[in-house]
Amino acid sequence: MSSAGASSRYPQTYAAWQHDPEAYWAEAAEAIAWDRRWDRVFDPTKGAFGQYFVGGMMNTCFNALDRHVLAGRGEQAALIWDSPMAGRCETFTYREMRDRTARVAGALASLGVRQGDRVVIYMPMVPEAAITMLACARLGAIHSVVFGGFAAAELAKRIEDAQPRVIVSASCGLEPGRVVGYKPLLDAAIGISAHKPEACLILQREQALAPLIAGRDCDFAEAEAAAMPADPVSIPATDPLYILYTSGTTGRPKGIVRDAGGHAVALHRSMGMVYGLGAGDVFWTASDVGWVVGHSYIVYAPLLAGCTSVMYEGKPVGTPDAGAFWRVCAQHGVRVLFTAPTALRAIKQQDPEATMLARHDMSKLEALYLAGERCDPPTAIWAAEKLARPVVDHWWQTETGWPITAGFRGLGLFPAKPGTGGRPAPGYDVQALDDSGHALARTQTGNLAIRLPLPPGCAPTLWQDEAGYRHAYLDDFPGWYRTGDAGVVDADGDVSVMGRTDDIINVAGHRLSTGAMEEVLASHPAVAECAVVGAKDALKGQAPLGLVVLKAGVALDPRTVETELVALVRERIGPVAAFKDARVVARLPKTRSGKILRASIRRLADGEPAAPPPTIDDPAILDEISAVLALR
Ligand code: COA
Ligand code: AMP
């Protein structure tokens, strides 16, 4: 059980933040090297809800790398790349990381990249992905990493929106049983996009070399070798460090912006406060640099704090077996592991007794943190029993960039109360609101919201879409940030997150838009209308299920259409959508005003009783849908 008793510093730390947020964040900011100190810790007159460290000048890459070298930690491991996919394991010291990053920054600069320019990074889990992110930060350029499991059309949307001067990619990624050609996807995406980059920097991997396009493409290794190292560029703390696109409720992804100064302060603070780690400690986040978890806890936070970060190119199972995570923890002396519940479910499915655990020396591991999706209690209990270590669920999202709620190793409020996502981190005032925006009493479930202003590190805006930011997050509940999650704050103040209140689903910890999938299904010439919902999945938490009604007079075999629809979503959105189940139905359940009753479909798919809502047009349709779903 969590304890906020005498030994916990959580209550006083949270109270100190509540009492004087500016003093709290000013103190946290002392951990960062500033080229110019801020004029104001927080200026409420700027931006959508205010801005942090206004007037301050700094460089995130300097703070993540150079600073540690200058402090005498140059020979300490900064990054351990462990790739069962490539059969390689390499360690990079802080000095090596700084030197490579400075040269890659020089290579980008020689391609014309300057402060404020965008660079899209479409790479697998290779060290060069982290190095390129840091190289952009070094130049004050804004990176936008796109997850490798997205298809060319999704990459194209992000290229069009971010308008990068340069794109950095690799010849291929490595997935179990197949080599994924990244370069052909990149070429296709550039073909689709109205915006064309001036140059592409391509990392050639030996598993599949890619032909380079003369006049546009350069070889990453050659460019790095030929480059002059570039020095860090001091940028305003309020300038963007990166854009990370995430799923919204439509097919158009949202460009989440992260400002440099607040991000560095908040992430550095989180390493000690949440995970209880500091310089020299080994931290492993088993995610992908294409997600916010990878941005924050594979790359930026551990390096800002001087930790050793493990970057893993592999899966929890099958590379080679369900003991892979334990092998990595033992081999590298991991003190804290952070992963998604799906990874644990995959391990538990294949090795329910955790026999593989006994084969590895787990003595260094102190805790397991989980996030990305709701963790089902049986999985959390299984992990805690087998590992005999605290398992901590913590809740956050791309927009916030760091945990909203957690158990705090560094404050002695640890682990989080089982079944909850823990307490709000200092900086966040979390409440459940009713649909009119009134705060609910504790223990009542509602819309989880964060009182404005958000703390440093949280997205101040959407890329070139401040109105969209206000509309998506601030307009519904004035004075609050709408998280899009439903949940409850209990009598102790612990927060439980139940699920989304919008059309976003979470598949294997990956955030996906059902609206985007519906757009793809609706584009099929045989489809009249459709609905996609997230149905419960024993492994991935949720899996998309698509129901489609065919146009009158379509003579195609429904099975053929279903197969085509699965292929279409894979082609347009990518394999990450994991869209494998499309069903042709005669009708969709609707309200009398014509709104599709997606919640009823989801309940039927989950095998829950779906009493017809009073607004339903024709209750008999639910029985028809049940009959079709029973064929699964
Ligand atoms: N590049 C190209 N393709 C990718 C990819 C990448 N970076 N990442 C995933 N894919 C593909 C996979 O190969 C798979 O393709 P397939 O349909 O041909 O098999 C598809 O996208 C779905 O991938 P994934 O969700 O990883 O499912 P999986 O069935 O391959 O593996 C698990 C199942 C449980 C092992 C896997 O989902 C997993 O490791 N989950 C942990 C999730 C996680 O860490 N999330 C981070 C969020 S914090
Ligand atoms: P992403 O932006 O991809 O990180 O996804 C964020 C969403 O994932 C949140 O809004 C939640 O819906 C869900 N999520 C993340 N962490 C948790 C958690 N610990 N418990 C429940 N849901 C979570």
Side-chain angles (χ1 to χ4, degrees):
M1 291 287 282
S2 62
S3 125
S7 62
S8 168
R9 287 188 294 115
Y10 174 83
Q12 74 217 50
T13 310
Y14 193 80
W17 163 72
Q18 279 180 312
H19 174 68
D20 189 347
E22 291 197 29
Y24 177 88
W25 289 116
E27 187 268 322
E30 296 299 341
I32 295 301
W34 297 87
D35 300 316
R36 180 185 187 278
R37 281 175 77 83
W38 52 91
D39 298 321
R40 291 189 71 173
V41 172
F42 181 67
D43 184 343
T45 65
K46 294 200 155 66
F49 62 82
Q51 282 183 343
Y52 287 94
F53 304 111
V54 176
M57 301 285 292
M58 48 83 70
N59 182 279
T60 300
C61 178
F62 176 85
N63 273 280
L65 300 177
D66 305 57
R67 193 170 177 220
H68 303 303
V69 179
L70 293 172
R73 312 182 64 83
E75 306 320 312
Q76 184 205 301
L79 191 76
I80 298 173
W81 178 57
D82 186 313
S83 172
M85 301 307 307
R88 285 169 62 187
C89 186
E90 285 173 30
T91 298
F92 302 87
T93 65
Y94 270 97
R95 187 184 307 284
E96 287 165 341
M97 280 295 281
R98 183 207 51 188
D99 292 350
R100 284 202 65 185
T101 299
R103 278 198 307 278
V104 172
L108 290 170
S110 71
L111 294 172
V113 175
R114 300 283 177 270
Q115 182 180 347
D117 285 343
R118 273 79 57 212
V119 175
V120 162
I121 302 174
Y122 184 59
M123 294 182 104
M125 284 287 284
V126 289
E128 287 77 5
I131 288 170
T132 306
M133 291 164 75
L134 291 159
C136 291
R138 196 168 188 86
L139 296 175
I142 303 165
H143 63 68
S144 186
V145 183
V146 180
F147 178 63
F150 281 118
E154 287 293 316
L155 176 57
K157 285 182 195 169
R158 289 152 174 82
I159 294 173
E160 267 187 358
D161 198 69
Q163 308 222 325
R165 188 177 288 275
V166 169
I167 300 182
V168 184
S169 188
S171 56
C172 67
L174 307 175
E175 284 291 296
R178 71 194 167 107
V179 172
V180 184
Y182 273 45
K183 180 63 173 24
L185 291 170
L186 173 67
D187 290 342
I190 294 174
I192 298 167
S193 166
H195 172 84
K196 312 289 178 196
E198 290 168 20
C200 296
L201 206 48
I202 307 295
L203 178 78
Q204 295 282 18
R205 300 188 80 187
E206 62 192 20
Q207 293 81 2
L209 298 180
L212 301 185
I213 295 176
R216 190 197 74 184
D217 298 344
C218 314
D219 180 274
F220 189 104
E222 285 173 13
E224 181 185 340
M228 291 290 291
D231 285 333
V233 173
S234 192
I235 65 165
T238 49
D239 271 11
L241 172 71
Y242 69 75
I243 308 164
L244 179 56
Y245 289 89
T246 189
S247 299
T249 49
T250 66
R252 186 169 172 244
K254 292 186 199 164
I256 302 297
V257 171
R258 194 79 60 211
D259 53 340
H263 172 256
V265 171
L267 261 63
H268 186 283
R269 170 58 49 111
S270 73
M271 280 309 293
M273 183 172 74
V274 178
Y275 306 101
L277 298 180
D281 290 333
V282 183
F283 184 49
W284 176 27
T285 296
S287 177
D288 189 288
V289 288
W291 306 117
V292 69
V293 172
H295 278 60
S296 293
Y297 292 107
I298 295 173
V299 183
Y300 287 112
L303 297 183
L304 285 165
C307 297
T308 299
S309 180
V310 178
M311 182 180 203
Y312 175 70
E313 188 185 33
K315 301 270 175 178
V317 293
T319 59
D321 55 33
F325 271 28
W326 320 137
R327 193 271 300 161
V328 173
C329 287
Q331 187 169 332
H332 305 302
V334 171
R335 289 188 65 181
V336 174
L337 165 63
F338 172 2
T339 191
T342 295
L344 288 185
R345 285 194 293 270
I347 295 170
K348 181 173 140 212
Q349 224 174 48
Q350 294 207 359
D351 183 18
E353 295 311 318
T355 50
M356 306 240 177
L357 194 54
R359 297 184 197 163
H360 301 281
D361 172 9
M362 302 295 291
S363 56
K364 293 260 174 54
L365 188 74
E366 292 170 12
L368 170 66
Y369 276 76
L370 299 175
E373 59 182 309
R374 181 169 166 75
C375 185
D376 53 300
T379 300
I381 292 165
W382 176 85
E385 272 177 18
K386 300 299 176 201
L387 283 168
R389 284 167 181 75
V391 174
V392 185
D393 191 7
H394 62 330
W395 168 55
W396 50 298
Q397 40 184 219
T398 307
E399 289 83 347
T400 66
W402 63 287
I404 306 167
T405 64
F408 300 88
R409 279 188 84 217
L411 297 178
L413 182 71
F414 179 76
K417 196 159 76 192
T420 77
R423 300 255 171 107
Y428 295 97
D429 177 353
V430 181
Q431 307 257 349
L433 307 181
D434 67 16
D435 288 343
S436 319
H438 300 114
L440 291 165
R442 283 194 170 179
T443 73
Q444 282 190 283
T445 301
N447 302 284
L448 289 175
I450 301 166
R451 195 189 298 278
L452 294 175
L454 292 169
C458 293
T461 189
L462 294 178
W463 179 245
Q464 296 192 326
D465 189 12
E466 181 105 346
Y469 180 88
R470 290 175 195 273
H471 176 69
Y473 305 110
L474 308 185
D475 287 352
D476 283 356
F477 306 130
W480 298 87
Y481 164 87
R482 190 182 68 86
T483 65
D485 282 314
V488 61
V489 184
D490 73 13
D492 295 331
D494 288 294
V495 178
S496 294
V497 182
M498 310 304 192
R500 297 287 306 188
T501 57
D502 52 19
D503 296 331
I504 288 171
I505 58 171
N506 212 306
V507 180
H510 306 146
R511 173 169 160 180
L512 298 165
S513 159
T514 54
M517 293 186 222
E518 287 180 2
E519 282 178 24
V520 175
L521 299 187
S523 73
H524 189 287
V527 170
E529 57 180 348
C530 62
V532 175
V533 299
K536 264 190 201 142
D537 183 89
L539 176 63
K540 298 191 176 185
Q542 285 186 303
L545 163 73
L547 299 186
V548 299
V549 177
L550 299 186
K551 286 179 183 158
V554 167
L556 290 170
D557 173 13
R559 298 294 90 76
T560 307
V561 179
E562 289 167 358
T563 308
E564 286 175 7
L565 291 173
V566 167
L568 200 60
V569 174
R570 191 179 173 94
E571 180 200 312
R572 298 264 182 87
I573 297 182
V576 65
F579 183 82
K580 308 230 157 124
D581 197 356
R583 306 288 176 106
V584 172
V585 292
R587 306 180 289 170
L588 289 171
K590 290 187 186 165
T591 62
R592 282 185 283 280
S593 59
K595 198 168 172 286
I596 297 173
L597 289 162
R598 289 180 178 76
S600 299
I601 300 174
R602 187 182 46 71
R603 277 197 291 276
L604 289 175
D606 289 349
E608 294 169 10
T615 51
I616 195 164
D617 185 32
D618 180 357
I621 301 181
L622 294 183
D623 294 331
E624 292 171 23
I625 302 282
S626 288
V628 173
L629 293 175
L631 301 173
R632 284 167 98 188

